[in-house]
Amino acid sequence: MPTITDIESTLESLHDRYRPLNTGAVATYIPELTKADPDLFCIAVRFVDGSGFTIGDTDARFTLQSCSKPLILAQALSTVGRDMVMRLTGVEPTGNSFSSMVGLDQIGKPLNPMVNAGAIVTASLLPGDSAEDRYKRMRANLSAYLGSEAELDTAVYESELRTSDRNRALAYLLKSKGTIEGDVKQHLDLYIRQCAISVNTQQLANAAATLANNGINPVSNERAVSVEYIKDILVVMLMNGMYNYAGRWAYEVGIPAKSGVSGSIFGVVPGVMGIAVYSPRLDEYGNSTRGLAVFSDLSKRYNMHIFDQRDPK
Ligand code: GLN
């Protein structure tokens, strides 16, 4: 595994190597996301001892989008427990795109909490007495992962609210099946807010490092999630975090990770570090093209795949 000193020069060379990679396109289905500068590129790491390094467009801000899903899964687990979360969603890869409806009517529940339908279910489980209270608690918990106050990107939030007919359809279908209960509009609003939390790459690396560090943010020493649920979250990330590319990712990279359509990927090397990459051009699965290249390179260079033999005989 790398130390902070060797990772600095590695990240500098990876940033140089993959900056010319211009394949893919910025997401357009949420109108506000089309405004992102496609050339932005930032890589950040945070070690569990609190040290860290960032290279590239360190000030670039982007929204969490699907990178929020494992963190909200953690909140749902902490609120209602493992059995209930497993009853209402699951851990199976879908093989379909993240907003797919395939199978939902027959099965009645989403296959996992990393696709939109499953994440709407976990959002519906978030605790609180009112819409404001639930959002406040969600934001406070996300802040614990980021290491600073989580802020909402209002423009992205409003843009997605106006255009989320597909998510609305998923949510009402789930309500008709009894998988979601209560105020569907409020649950959807919370889901869209979690996706619209604005971060920079270092903050996202902090979130990954919190998961790598048994749930304690290594910068602030604040606990974001009980150690009891870390394994649940990492398994779900490894199996489902990269959409319908998850199998290839597990095969080639083998780092529990999650990507979001704003162009971010964050990955967890348990007990060692969190890694985050931001670059808005996406491939056909919705994964950042430079992000994939950086993670794949890092994994091979430092034997970070979870099944790499650490001490080959
Ligand atoms: N907010 C996005 C949506 O619901 C998140 C999807 C993603 O990042 N893959 O479609």
Side-chain angles (χ1 to χ4, degrees):
M1 287 294 167
T3 63
I4 183 76
T5 335
D6 28 83
I7 201 92
E8 289 187 12
S9 57
T10 300
L11 295 190
E12 277 161 10
S13 77
L14 293 186
H15 192 265
D16 284 348
R17 175 175 309 167
Y18 295 116
R19 201 214 306 264
L21 181 64
N22 284 332
T23 50
V26 172
T28 53
Y29 78 102
I30 299 172
E32 195 65 22
L33 295 185
T34 59
K35 296 185 182 162
D37 174 354
D39 288 324
L40 290 173
F41 186 23
C42 186
I43 313 173
V45 294
R46 177 71 67 196
F47 284 84
V48 295
D49 68 3
S51 59
F53 182 70
T54 312
I55 176 113
D57 297 297
T58 51
D59 293 334
R61 297 193 71 81
F62 52 92
T63 47
L64 280 179
Q65 298 301 334
S66 283
C67 288
S68 62
K69 289 172 178 169
L71 312 180
I72 300 300
L73 165 64
Q75 291 186 38
L77 284 165
S78 311
T79 308
V80 298
R82 197 171 275 140
D83 291 347
M84 177 71 105
V85 172
M86 279 299 288
R87 194 149 61 75
L88 300 178
T89 171
V91 294
E92 302 302 333
T94 68
N96 296 312
S97 80
F98 59 82
S99 61
S100 175
M101 304 199 172
V102 173
L104 211 52
D105 196 23
Q106 289 75 25
I107 306 165
K109 68 174 201 177
L111 289 181
N112 71 68
M114 300 295 103
V115 291
N116 289 6
I120 295 167
V121 170
T122 49
S124 80
L125 300 173
L126 294 180
D129 301 331
S130 61
E132 293 72 39
D133 183 41
R134 295 176 75 205
Y135 173 53
K136 207 172 117 201
R137 290 193 199 200
M138 177 183 88
R139 211 156 62 100
N141 185 247
L142 290 177
S143 304
Y145 286 95
L146 303 177
S148 43
E149 184 91 3
E151 287 165 30
L152 189 76
D153 183 326
T154 320
V156 172
Y157 163 68
E158 285 171 358
S159 179
E160 183 158 3
L161 203 56
R162 277 194 300 274
T163 53
S164 58
D165 291 333
R166 199 174 177 85
N167 285 334
R168 206 163 285 132
L170 291 170
Y172 281 100
L173 178 59
L174 289 166
K175 169 118 196 232
S176 79
K177 296 282 179 181
T179 310
I180 285 183
E181 288 178 354
D183 186 341
V184 178
K185 234 174 127 184
Q186 188 185 107
H187 301 323
L188 256 175
D189 187 71
L190 264 182
Y191 168 74
I192 293 169
R193 283 175 189 270
Q194 74 179 59
C195 292
I197 295 293
S198 158
V199 296
N200 62 34
T201 316
Q202 184 64 79
Q203 286 175 305
L204 193 58
N206 293 347
T210 302
L211 295 173
N213 192 38
N214 290 323
I216 296 175
N217 183 313
V219 182
S220 64
N221 282 320
E222 188 180 355
R223 178 168 287 287
V225 54
S226 162
V227 63
E228 184 186 353
Y229 296 120
I230 297 294
K231 195 169 77 177
D232 303 59
I233 300 157
L234 295 184
V235 167
V236 171
M237 286 171 78
L238 183 69
M239 298 296 291
N240 311 299
M242 304 300 287
Y243 314 126
N244 36 338
Y245 188 76
R248 278 279 298 281
W249 176 271
Y251 186 63
E252 284 170 19
V253 183
I255 295 174
K258 185 74 203 84
S259 76
V261 286
S262 55
S264 52
I265 303 179
F266 77 132
V268 180
V269 186
V272 181
M273 69 201 297
I275 306 167
V277 181
Y278 170 60
S279 175
R281 286 195 188 89
L282 309 177
D283 67 9
E284 72 262 40
Y285 302 100
N287 294 320
S288 165
T289 49
R290 286 176 182 158
L292 284 182
V294 170
F295 268 94
S296 167
D297 199 314
L298 272 175
S299 172
K300 289 188 182 75
R301 194 178 290 241
Y302 294 114
N303 297 332
M304 284 174 172
H305 192 294
I306 53 163
F307 298 132
D308 270 327
Q309 305 302 306
R310 300 258 135 67
D311 298 302
K313 292 274 176 308

